[in-house]
Amino acid sequence: MLEGILFAMFAGVAIGCALGVVFHRNPVHCALLLVGVLLSLAGVFILLHAAFVAALQVIVYAGAIMVLFLFVVMLLNVKGETPLLTPGAAKGFGFLFGLIVATELLWTVLSPGGSEGGPFPAAALPAEFGSPAGLGMLLYTTWLYPFEIVSLLLLVAVVGAVVLAKRKFF
Amino acid sequence: MGTMPMVPLVWYQLLAAILFTIGVVGVLVRRSALVIFMSIELMLNAVNLSLIAFSRQHGGMEGHVFVFFVMAVAAAEVAIGLAILVAIFRNRETASVDDVHLLKG
């Protein structure tokens, strides 16, 4: 019962804030509403017993990445643009395409095969499910090479960001 | 932890589908490149939610590993994307994707 109430609360906040991100005029408000989405998704992750990923979500996403966004908003000093949405036919096609994607996704989720999983299995999860120890055990054994590649990717991204921010290109 | 879970998998997938759709619409209809980046983050998070829900259903932690990688790639993408945005703004004085059309025929 409590789980259902919490899920409804987090889901409602997430969807409301997501709509705000897309349709709000001021980019600073958009960024803060995105923080709302990320935090409520962290709550949903905790409902799914993914405690460590929820902590990562708060620290990495709502902390680091959103600070980066707010810095750039401050740096660029962008005002809310006067036509909020892209003008002309592109807007119509955008909403049409969104409708198509929504139909497709809902069709997939709600089709008989999609909901076959039913309620989550009541069988007890492994003790370390969702803990840093469990994630680390997988990450440093089975997924060691992808992990190293991702660290290389982050290094390249940092160097690239510095180079891009220094020079004049366009 | 031992209680019977109340919310079935489908509800989590529905939430992920709705958030992903909102992100798609945001990318397609907004003009500001910053908000487009935020909408991309929205879509990435929707996929993360679906991965975590499947991981819960499956009982294994591989989904959490995928989410970890998605977060790392998202961080790299945001760093590069925002650096490009700053470079464009510095030279063109605009953050709107409609005003950057050098490649338009």
Side-chain angles (χ1 to χ4, degrees):
Chain A
M1 192 60 205
L2 180 66
E3 192 191 344
I5 294 172
L6 284 175
F7 176 78
M9 207 176 71
F10 287 136
V13 172
I15 291 172
C17 286
L19 286 173
V21 169
V22 172
F23 292 111
H24 206 286
R25 188 167 294 275
N26 188 339
V28 178
H29 293 182
C30 289
L32 292 177
L33 285 166
L34 186 55
V35 173
V37 177
L38 299 175
L39 289 180
S40 43
L41 277 184
V44 175
F45 289 172
I46 287 179
L47 285 183
L48 287 165
H49 300 282
F52 184 58
V53 174
L56 278 185
Q57 173 93 355
V58 173
I59 296 169
V60 175
Y61 255 121
I65 293 183
M66 290 319 297
V67 166
L68 203 58
F69 266 110
L70 284 173
F71 258 112
V72 171
V73 171
M74 189 186 71
L75 211 61
L76 300 191
N77 192 22
V78 269
K79 298 276 176 280
E81 50 263 80
T82 25
L84 182 69
L85 307 177
T86 156
K91 179 169 56 183
F93 275 115
F95 282 115
L96 180 69
F97 191 69
L99 195 68
I100 292 171
V101 169
T103 317
E104 189 179 343
L105 286 176
L106 294 184
W107 182 281
T108 313
V109 171
L110 295 177
S111 62
S115 53
E116 222 163 46
F120 288 122
L125 291 165
E128 75 273 16
F129 186 85
S131 72
L135 187 66
M137 194 58 93
L138 273 177
L139 213 52
Y140 293 121
T141 54
T142 320
W143 300 91
L144 181 63
Y145 289 116
F147 179 73
E148 295 296 337
I149 292 169
V150 157
S151 68
L152 208 62
L153 177 77
L154 281 174
L155 178 68
V156 171
V158 169
V159 174
V162 171
V163 170
L164 275 175
K166 260 172 80 171
R167 292 217 205 109
K168 281 189 183 293
F169 276 107
F170 299 93
Chain B
M1 291 289 258
T3 52
M4 180 78 182
M6 297 284 300
V7 186
L9 174 69
V10 177
W11 287 99
Y12 291 100
Q13 299 303 329
L14 272 180
L15 176 60
I18 291 169
L19 287 178
F20 189 89
T21 307
I22 295 173
V24 168
V25 171
V27 168
L28 289 176
V29 304
R30 281 300 293 255
R31 296 176 70 232
S32 162
L34 262 171
V35 180
I36 289 179
F37 269 116
M38 292 180 203
S39 303
I40 292 174
E41 295 302 312
L42 218 55
M43 287 195 278
L44 286 170
N45 268 282
V47 174
N48 278 355
L49 170 62
S50 125
L51 283 172
I52 295 271
F54 280 132
S55 192
R56 170 77 182 77
Q57 173 87 359
H58 181 250
M61 278 192 70
E62 277 80 8
H64 298 201
V65 176
F66 296 156
V67 169
F68 180 87
F69 288 140
V70 169
M71 278 181 185
V73 172
E77 171 245 328
V78 165
I80 293 291
L82 290 180
I84 292 175
L85 200 57
V86 169
I88 290 176
F89 191 82
R90 195 189 288 157
N91 293 287
R92 310 281 305 257
E93 292 293 317
T94 179
S96 162
V97 287
D98 290 342
D99 297 336
V100 183
H101 46 62
L102 270 179
L103 284 178
K104 196 172 177 181

